[in-house]
């Protein structure tokens, strides 16, 4: 028997990312787990309206989505726990500039450099709809076919409402490989 627990967002766990954008000549960063897919060429980054970084994302129309692995987690958690309005976060990560001018975290195993195409506002949030301009992956996380090997990359996941970080697990099987019809109930 299932219990109705109300109108609760329960699409967790989600990948943990650090969003970056430039504030003049230096970057600022924030931890974000509310990143979603909108088709194969667009993503959505959802940030609470009061976030310091939002102003600069709107000004620059550029951001990066930096995937977090276990080695990055302490720094990623830190940039999510302090506000850029009160704390300079530009030197938390070693970084370089991407082709489009957005800051890439050197230690991130995977970074998507994006252009903000639209902003959708919802109650308390600004949702940045972005095109993916470039995707940068550390070669150690590519397989022999030049595809991202997430089992090797092991992105950190976030689950809500308990505010826990999780490790990714084992591969259960290939997508669309369970071709037998299930037994009827």
């Amino acid at each position: 028997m299932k219990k109705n627990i109300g109108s609760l967002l329960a699409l967790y766990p989600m990948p943990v990312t650090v969003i970056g954008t430039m504030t003049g000549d230096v970057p600022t960063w924030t931890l974000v787990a509310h990143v979603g897919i909108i088709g194969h060429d667009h993503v959505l980054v959802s940030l609470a309206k009061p976030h310091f970084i939002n102003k600069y994302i709107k000004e620059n129309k550029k951001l990066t989505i930096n995937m977090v692995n276990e080695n990055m987690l302490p720094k990623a958690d830190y940039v999510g726990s302090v506000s850029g309005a009160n704390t300079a976060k530009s030197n938390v990560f070693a970084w370089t500039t991407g082709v489009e001018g957005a800051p890439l975290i050197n230690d991130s195993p995977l970074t998507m450099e994006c252009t903000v195409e639209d902003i959708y506002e919802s109650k308390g949030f600004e949702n940045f709809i972005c095109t993916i301009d470039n995707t940068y992956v550390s070669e150690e996380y590519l397989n022999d076919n030049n595809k991202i090997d997430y089992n090797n990359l092991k992105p950190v996941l976030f689950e809500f409402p308990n505010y826990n970080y999780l490790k990714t697990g084992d591969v259960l099987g290939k997508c669309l490989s369970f071709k037998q019809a299930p037994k009827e109930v």
Side-chain angles (χ1 to χ4, degrees), residues 83-97:
S83 171
N86 306 317
T87 305
K89 299 190 263 184
S90 61
N91 292 322
V92 172
F93 298 104
W95 61 280
T96 56
T97 304

Side-chain angles (χ1 to χ4, degrees), residues 49-100:
K49 285 183 181 179
H51 275 292
F52 173 79
I53 198 170
N54 294 20
K55 171 187 173 188
Y56 295 98
I57 292 172
K58 289 186 274 190
E59 282 179 13
N60 299 329
K61 302 284 191 223
K62 300 286 182 187
L63 61 82
T64 55
I65 301 170
N66 300 272
M67 184 81 60
V68 173
N69 63 12
E70 195 171 350
N71 294 335
M72 285 181 60
L73 187 56
K75 290 180 179 182
D77 186 72
Y78 172 76
V79 299
S81 65
V82 296
S83 171
N86 306 317
T87 305
K89 299 190 263 184
S90 61
N91 292 322
V92 172
F93 298 104
W95 61 280
T96 56
T97 304
V99 173
E100 301 294 323

